[in-house]
Amino acid sequence: MTEPLSFELSRRGALAPRLPEAGVTAPEPSQVFSQDQLRANPLDLPRLSEPELMRHYSRMASMNYSISEQFYPLGSCTMKYNPVVNEAAATLPGFADLHPYQDESTVQGALELMWRLERALCAVVGVERVTLQPAAGAHGEWTALRMISAYHHSRGDNRTEVLVPDSAHGTNPASAALSGFHVVEVKSGPDGRISLPDLESKLSPHVAALMLTNPNTLGLFEREILDIAEMVHATGAMLYYDGANLNAFMGICRPGDMGFDAVHMNLHKTFTTPHGGGGPGAGPVGVKADLVPFLPTPTVERTNGHLKLDFKRPQSIGRVRSFYGNFGMLVRAYAYIVAMGGDGLAQASRDAVLSANYLRKQVEDDLDMPHEGPCMHEFVASAHNLAPQGVRALDIAKALLDRDFYAPTVYFPLVVPEAIMVEPTETESKATLDAFAAAIKEIVAEARSNPQALHDAPRNLPVGRLDEVAAARRINAYLQGLSDDPVLRWKPAPK
Amino acid sequence: MSNERRYTKTHEWVTVDAKTVTVGITDFAQSQLGDVVFLELPSIGRKLALRESFGVIESVKAASDLYSPVAGRVTAVNDKLTSKPELINSDPYGDGWILKLELTGDLPGDLLDEAEYKKVAEAGAH
Amino acid sequence: MPYLVHSDEDRTSMLEAIGVKSMDDLLVDIPRSLRIKALDLPLGLSEHETMSQITSLAARNRVFPDRLTFRGGGVYRRFIPAAVAAVTSKPEFYTAYTPYQPEASQGTLQAIFEFQTLIAELTALDVANASLYDGATAVAEAAMMAHIHTGRNEIVVAGYLHPEYVEVLRAFSDGRGIKVRKGTEPGPKTAAVIFQQPDFIGLLVDAKTLTESAHAAGALAIACVDPISLAILAPPGQYGADIAVGEGQQLGLSPSYGGPHVGFISCRKELVRRLPGRLIGTAYDQQGRRGFNLALAAREQHIRREKATSNICTNHSLCALAASVYMTYMGPDGLRHVAEVGFKRAHALAERLSALPGWEPAFPDRQFLNEFPMRVANGPAVIRKLARKGILGPLDVHRWFRELKGVVTFTCTEVNDAQALDELVAALS
């Protein structure tokens, strides 16, 4: 099925929606503004009637896979169920219609929600305070590194390096570089965990922080985390926690207790706020006492039951976005935490770990398992065993799409060739897990008997594999003025 | 100085003709990158230090920095690569050359010969 | 427990299948000293109790009717067609993940491709990206683009750019050794001049001159614009700006106490490779069918890692979808109409306010679109009085700008009907 672009469906004669008239005596824009100040070329936007518009978007929606319909075992993404009641909560007029510049006395409920969410997140991860300002995970990560940088500067300490494991997500080194640090990679050992000897060789008074995910991107718990924390702190550096994998151990252990100074979290992963096709999310950051003075401004403070925004924070790193945070997402996460409670969150992590180990067991003979179990809430397999058949992780991913599953993460982490990272989460039934395992077995069998079928996948979707190289070349041609097709937007056919 | 190709650990190759050094990336490097779609290259006249990063080479799935194997001044850039970056894949040692430098001082002592580079490439492959 | 699916029988049989006796065998890597008994949180609640708690928090907030809201400052009450929520609440859109498997994500990819085209058209520039978090981070990202493109270290902020956007720009710049200076004259170290049109207090600036002077100094011109204003006012491409950024909240998003909203960025084609974040482009499959895909991914953090222009990993996709629906619903005529109604009502209101004793236009010789500054003694007291009468009055901008003592800004949009204007004026008399 295909669906034309709104621009292609547009018709000259289609009427604009009926809108209220001004109903006042006032000049026309052309009487107030000069020719220069007015738009010269009329806007060329699509004209569609409402029935056509709704049909257009509904057809596009049906071309998407989504967690509402398909199992999404994306490693490190925690694609768990998005509770529908959270949508009702966030869209209450008492939240949705609040202007951010309303007087604080008129938004006590909103501030109380933020304060309570902060307390709850502090309890889950074991820190003193949490900033709810960052709009996304990468944004939160950068915010944490800015705070760490400010901390060192406040002590007259000019530290220029940040250590990042070779298995780290790409945002880790990117955020570090954007915070003004030089990035140094630390190797993983053969057991998939960070190599302590290599870490030791790279620690020095130049190092501002070590960034770690725990469990790491291979789904393995860093057993020596207490030693690691001690080593890092002994050199005066800080320990940063990337919360992508927090779903592994809520209620079981806490990053704060492990020695992490800054703890980053993703509300759109662990705390169910919906992914929306790529955002919005929220990336709160928890901090221990030493980093509290550097939190972004404003913070939410509560005295005698009265809430206020605190703008008087002289050592703050400033603002990282406008207003106070992705408030609508904060409401959703808060509703989830209230519904689950401490007991529910702990059971969620336990079920997540159980499901991942169960699924790993089901497919351990079909795919390569580069590391020993048990895993935590996710595991990394490899399609390397199918190399003799010329079949790659990409082929497996596409073949899963044909079988009505969204594919797991592939080609990450970089330390495992042909990596397939699987995270089932706690909201998938055993029957779903069994069906997925069966699909893997079927695909692996097909790899051995008819690998071409996998190279041709997917065949059941609106499009097959897209030629990215040709697309990149067409973009090049456009950027060099050799072609009129912009590729990155629709353009009307030349007259 | 002979005309035979020498290599760096970061997968660039050089040939030398009097004071002119021609630079490109190796066959191994292009196979790792996949189809090259874009290069960001320096302007003519730019001075490069030994191992200074002088540009970026992009495929759809990867982007790699290019490091100058010698110290020198850029005297020529392969213009064909602007519209046909795929030359790097099809002919990395010939038509896919990237730039020419006027050498400053001597050739660095740690350039690898064919056999030494082969070992580096094999270790890097997975 | 809510949202969990395994029964105790399931758990037992899964443990057996794995071949372990208990969960402790799976948690064996966690040092005993780190294990906690329970989280220091209340126990979970039923859905009814949960919603009770949430609604009582919502009830502790005061909602001003949109027709009686005259405050702007970057977030505005607008008519949001029902079609917007009807589309964004489709689970196929709101529960979908980032479109890394394009074949299974054509709905999202096409919708965002349409968004990119709409923004490029609105701003009259060549290419727009798939959206950013908000107007503030969009301004900061554009400044970073200019820094990388020109190799220069200074950003000049000309005139009244939204003060929170300036704060965010400073936070981004601090990390990269870039200086932010307020002024109008770019110099040899200037990477870009940034200005807002209309500015934070609603006034039109001389965008053409600011752009030309930036170019004369070898700097880029970055215009931070109100998207609805572009239906009437000259778009950045028309006066030669290099990059356009802004906040898209007015395009179908609720105020929601400040977020989530959506930032947009567009630029001339020469700068496309510097664009941060996601870009969606067309691509074809083996059968020649047109699809949409993430393009120029090699710019992004997951590939460039520490060499990426930005660390941005995501966009505000669902918000961009809402904006897309809004702009498509309105069409060029609807958008123009909405801009004109706001313009007319604001001008009518300004005239009526100027006739009240104690009130005068703060900058009588300057033009405005639908947000304008007035001067009055004791603005805070006036605002409090209006609030008691159920009106969300103007914004006191003295809070951010010392030189603007006594200045408050009013906004009118299509939701402030003529009668609401009467009520406001009556309340002030």
Side-chain angles (χ1 to χ4, degrees):
Chain A
M1 152 186 169
T2 58
E3 174 61 17
L5 291 163
S6 53
F7 290 84
E8 292 163 337
L9 292 169
S10 171
R11 289 177 341 276
R12 283 259 115 217
L15 291 172
R18 205 185 278 180
L19 295 161
E21 294 302 325
V24 293
T25 313
E28 296 294 319
S30 55
Q31 294 171 297
V32 169
F33 303 119
S34 68
Q35 196 66 355
D36 249 5
Q37 292 172 309
L38 290 169
R39 190 177 185 106
N41 295 327
L43 260 181
D44 194 6
L45 301 183
R47 289 181 166 82
L48 293 179
S49 65
E50 186 174 321
E52 290 168 294
L53 177 142
M54 288 306 298
R55 172 78 51 81
H56 176 63
Y57 282 102
S58 294
R59 287 172 64 83
M60 289 200 291
S62 71
M63 293 197 278
N64 263 7
Y65 276 17
S66 67
I67 191 68
S68 65
E69 290 193 44
Q70 282 87 17
F71 176 39
Y72 252 76
L74 280 168
S76 271
C77 296
T78 313
M79 295 297 287
K80 58 168 86 177
Y81 172 65
N82 307 128
V84 288
V85 70
N86 295 351
E87 299 306 305
T91 50
L92 287 171
F95 294 132
D97 291 344
L98 296 179
H99 191 292
Y101 289 146
Q102 282 183 220
D103 189 86
E104 284 168 19
S105 63
T106 65
V107 292
Q108 289 288 297
L111 295 174
E112 172 89 28
L113 187 146
M114 290 174 69
W115 187 85
R116 288 192 199 172
L117 175 61
E118 185 186 337
R119 299 281 121 249
L121 293 175
C122 285
V124 172
V125 301
V127 294
E128 186 127 331
R129 300 246 15 203
V130 171
T131 173
L132 301 172
Q133 243 194 57
H139 199 205
E141 189 176 71
W142 172 81
T143 301
L145 291 170
R146 295 293 306 135
M147 289 194 277
I148 289 172
S149 174
Y151 164 80
H152 288 303
H153 272 121
S154 77
R155 293 155 57 88
D157 208 351
N158 183 29
R159 293 180 177 240
T160 53
E161 286 177 11
V162 163
L163 303 185
V164 169
D166 53 10
S167 56
H169 191 287
T171 59
N172 288 177
S175 301
L178 292 174
S179 305
F181 292 113
H182 175 62
V183 175
V184 175
E185 237 180 41
V186 181
K187 295 200 197 349
S188 306
D191 70 344
R193 294 161 176 86
I194 197 172
S195 152
L196 258 62
D198 199 50
L199 173 61
E200 190 158 26
S201 75
K202 287 172 175 154
L203 279 170
S204 79
H206 298 300
V207 173
L210 167 65
M211 300 174 78
L212 272 189
T213 311
N214 196 14
N216 64 18
T217 56
L218 296 163
L220 305 170
F221 190 86
E222 292 282 358
R223 292 180 279 237
E224 299 173 285
I225 185 62
L226 292 169
D227 290 336
I228 292 170
E230 212 179 285
M231 283 166 69
V232 169
H233 288 146
T235 65
M238 288 204 144
L239 197 53
Y240 164 88
Y241 177 73
D242 178 332
N245 292 330
L246 181 59
N247 207 46
F249 53 51
M250 290 189 290
I252 300 172
C253 56
R254 305 186 312 174
D257 301 331
M258 294 171 202
F260 286 97
D261 303 288
V263 176
H264 145 281
M265 294 163 260
N266 294 297
L267 296 188
H268 46 287
K269 295 186 180 185
T270 324
F271 299 98
T272 75
T273 73
H275 279 78
V285 180
V287 294
K288 297 277 186 64
D290 280 342
L291 291 175
V292 168
F294 309 101
L295 287 169
T297 305
T299 56
V300 178
E301 307 297 332
R302 191 176 199 269
T303 353
N304 296 328
H306 181 84
L307 286 307
K308 74 175 184 83
L309 292 166
D310 182 11
F311 291 93
K312 289 191 173 56
R313 302 189 64 88
Q315 287 186 288
S316 163
I317 58 169
R319 274 187 175 284
V320 301
R321 43 85 49 78
S322 56
F323 312 118
Y324 319 111
N326 275 350
F327 182 75
M329 313 322 282
L330 305 182
V331 175
R332 290 169 170 89
Y334 180 66
Y336 172 70
I337 291 173
V338 167
M340 293 294 274
D343 50 338
L345 292 177
Q347 190 59 55
S349 283
R350 293 168 75 88
D351 281 354
V353 171
L354 178 61
S355 295
N357 278 283
Y358 174 74
L359 190 50
R360 184 183 184 282
K361 187 80 184 163
Q362 302 299 97
V363 299
E364 71 181 354
D365 295 325
D366 305 295
L367 296 168
D368 264 0
M369 293 293 166
H371 303 101
E372 298 246 319
C375 59
M376 293 220 70
H377 68 315
E378 69 185 4
F379 64 90
V380 176
S382 166
H384 194 65
N385 58 318
L386 300 173
Q389 285 79 22
V391 167
R392 307 182 57 221
L394 188 67
D395 299 311
I396 299 186
K398 302 302 184 189
L400 280 167
L401 296 181
D402 264 343
R403 288 159 174 79
D404 208 26
F405 292 101
Y406 197 86
T409 309
V410 288
Y411 300 106
F412 182 79
L414 302 172
V415 290
V416 173
E418 301 301 321
I420 300 174
M421 186 172 24
V422 180
E423 180 186 353
T425 84
E426 71 278 11
T427 60
E428 298 296 334
S429 68
K430 188 167 165 297
T432 303
L433 302 180
D434 289 339
F436 182 79
I440 292 282
K441 288 178 196 306
E442 199 184 277
I443 292 169
V444 168
E446 198 163 36
R448 300 202 162 106
S449 63
N450 179 16
Q452 189 54 43
L454 300 183
H455 298 314
D456 293 338
R459 283 165 298 187
N460 304 332
L461 294 176
V463 292
R465 295 195 205 188
L466 298 166
D467 190 345
E468 300 177 317
V469 173
R473 299 225 167 100
R474 285 182 8 250
I475 293 174
N476 254 0
Y478 164 69
L479 294 177
Q480 282 154 39
L482 299 170
S483 143
D484 274 332
D485 170 18
V487 185
L488 300 170
R489 58 162 290 175
W490 175 86
K491 227 180 161 95
K495 295 192 171 46
Chain B
M1 299 171 228
S2 76
N3 221 342
E4 78 178 30
R5 239 181 351 247
R6 298 181 82 82
Y7 306 84
T8 68
K9 287 205 183 90
T10 47
H11 311 290
E12 289 91 11
W13 58 261
V14 298
T15 57
V16 187
D17 184 1
K19 275 247 153 213
T20 302
V21 175
T22 307
V23 179
I25 65 164
T26 65
D27 186 46
F28 170 75
Q30 71 78 17
S31 72
Q32 289 288 296
L33 268 176
D35 298 273
V36 178
V37 296
F38 179 69
L39 282 112
E40 205 175 274
L41 293 174
S43 9
I44 294 181
R46 167 133 168 238
K47 288 205 183 79
L48 294 173
L50 175 63
R51 278 187 270 284
E52 182 179 340
S53 165
F54 67 81
V56 185
I57 182 167
E58 263 181 42
S59 65
V60 276
K61 59 171 176 142
S64 274
D65 291 290
L66 298 161
Y67 299 96
S68 186
V70 304
R73 195 178 59 88
V74 180
T75 55
V77 166
N78 187 351
D79 289 323
K80 281 201 222 138
L81 295 177
T82 318
S83 52
K84 293 189 123 249
E86 57 268 29
L87 283 172
I88 293 197
N89 300 110
S90 58
D91 195 6
Y93 299 119
D95 273 341
W97 66 272
I98 297 179
L99 49 71
K100 293 193 199 284
L101 294 155
E102 184 188 290
L103 182 67
T104 307
D106 293 325
L107 277 181
D110 58 351
L111 288 174
L112 309 168
D113 64 23
E114 193 87 39
E116 289 164 328
Y117 177 69
K118 201 152 171 242
K119 286 202 201 109
V120 168
E122 269 156 25
H126 52 64
Chain C
M1 280 167 195
Y3 324 129
L4 299 180
V5 303
H6 298 316
S7 65
D8 284 333
E9 287 79 39
D10 289 327
R11 293 184 183 113
T12 308
S13 94
M14 285 162 78
L15 284 170
E16 260 172 46
I18 296 167
V20 294
K21 290 216 168 57
S22 74
M23 278 301 298
D24 276 337
D25 296 324
L26 298 179
L27 301 172
V28 64
D29 281 342
I30 302 178
R32 280 263 137 217
S33 61
L34 285 175
R35 295 286 298 267
I36 58 175
K37 285 221 166 51
L39 286 173
D40 188 11
L41 282 175
L43 297 178
L45 297 176
S46 67
E47 181 176 311
H48 180 81
E49 290 163 308
T50 300
M51 269 313 270
S52 271
Q53 227 199 79
I54 302 283
T55 43
S56 73
L57 283 172
R60 282 172 59 189
N61 299 319
R62 180 139 174 237
V63 175
F64 291 87
D66 58 359
R67 56 183 292 276
L68 294 176
T69 294
F70 296 94
R71 188 168 302 175
V75 170
Y76 305 87
R77 298 300 297 272
R78 289 257 176 210
F79 157 63
I80 300 177
V84 174
V87 172
T88 58
S89 62
K90 285 179 187 294
E92 300 92 328
F93 278 130
Y94 87 86
T95 73
Y97 186 64
T98 309
Y100 289 131
Q101 299 290 350
E103 304 90 339
S105 317
Q106 289 297 297
T108 293
L109 287 164
Q110 179 168 341
I112 302 302
F113 181 83
E114 292 180 358
F115 171 83
Q116 287 175 193
T117 307
L118 291 161
I119 295 293
E121 177 59 28
L122 205 58
T123 55
L125 285 167
D126 295 318
V127 173
N129 89 345
S131 79
L132 298 169
Y133 311 136
D134 65 356
T137 52
V139 162
E141 294 280 5
M144 298 305 112
M145 276 176 73
H147 160 66
I148 291 186
H149 186 73
T150 62
R152 296 178 177 188
N153 274 1
E154 181 190 64
I155 302 292
V156 169
V157 172
Y160 289 117
L161 175 60
H162 194 306
E164 297 198 11
Y165 295 13
V166 178
E167 283 179 67
V168 173
L169 172 61
R170 287 194 194 280
F172 270 60
S173 301
D174 279 347
R176 297 172 85 153
I178 294 168
K179 288 197 169 31
V180 177
R181 164 167 76 84
K182 287 200 175 170
T184 43
E185 299 306 317
K189 293 209 188 98
T190 309
V193 175
I194 307 182
F195 55 88
Q196 182 171 330
Q197 179 75 307
D199 70 14
F200 179 67
I201 58 175
L203 302 174
L204 259 72
V205 301
D206 190 347
K208 195 143 178 282
T209 302
L210 286 166
T211 299
E212 282 164 1
S213 105
H215 290 160
L220 297 186
I222 299 173
C224 178
V225 289
D226 170 328
I228 295 197
S229 77
L230 299 179
I232 295 184
L233 297 180
Q238 186 175 317
Y239 46 83
D242 303 282
I243 305 174
V245 291
E247 172 55 62
Q249 175 267 325
Q250 292 186 82
L251 303 171
L253 295 167
S254 308
S256 195
Y257 201 49
H261 295 153
V262 66
F264 59 84
I265 187 168
S266 61
C267 67
R268 289 188 294 109
K269 66 199 248 196
E270 287 74 18
L271 298 167
V272 166
R273 296 209 113 85
R274 310 281 184 212
L275 275 174
R278 300 213 168 102
L279 274 173
I280 305 204
T282 52
Y284 295 83
D285 72 3
Q286 276 228 322
Q287 293 176 43
R289 289 178 292 194
R290 178 188 68 187
F292 303 92
N293 201 359
L294 294 172
L296 292 184
R299 293 161 304 119
E300 295 189 65
Q301 46 70 29
H302 58 289
I303 289 177
R304 294 295 280 139
R305 294 170 74 91
E306 62 267 26
K307 306 249 169 66
T309 307
S310 166
N311 72 338
I312 192 167
C313 185
T314 183
N315 58 334
H316 266 196
S317 192
L318 199 71
C319 300
L321 174 64
S324 247
V325 176
Y326 178 88
M327 288 187 274
T328 308
Y329 174 94
M330 288 295 181
D333 303 318
L335 220 52
R336 198 189 162 82
H337 187 103
V338 148
E340 279 181 5
V341 166
F343 168 87
K344 288 184 173 161
R345 296 218 180 118
H347 282 75
L349 178 63
E351 202 174 299
R352 293 176 70 178
L353 291 174
S354 302
L356 293 175
W359 288 87
E360 60 173 17
F363 297 91
D365 301 325
R366 301 283 299 276
Q367 301 143 306
F368 60 92
L369 187 67
N370 68 318
E371 190 165 23
F372 60 95
M374 295 293 294
R375 205 177 288 278
V376 69
N378 210 344
V382 168
I383 290 168
R384 280 194 299 270
K385 178 166 98 163
L386 288 173
R388 286 195 294 273
K389 300 191 175 179
I391 298 174
L392 188 64
L395 183 66
D396 181 6
V397 293
H398 179 226
R399 167 180 166 183
W400 293 283
F401 300 106
R402 271 214 199 97
E403 72 277 19
L404 294 180
K405 189 166 164 66
V407 179
V408 297
T409 57
F410 286 86
T411 300
C412 285
T413 71
E414 71 283 3
V415 302
N416 307 106
D417 53 74
Q419 200 172 327
L421 266 50
D422 291 339
E423 285 172 49
L424 171 64
V425 172
L428 290 172
S429 307

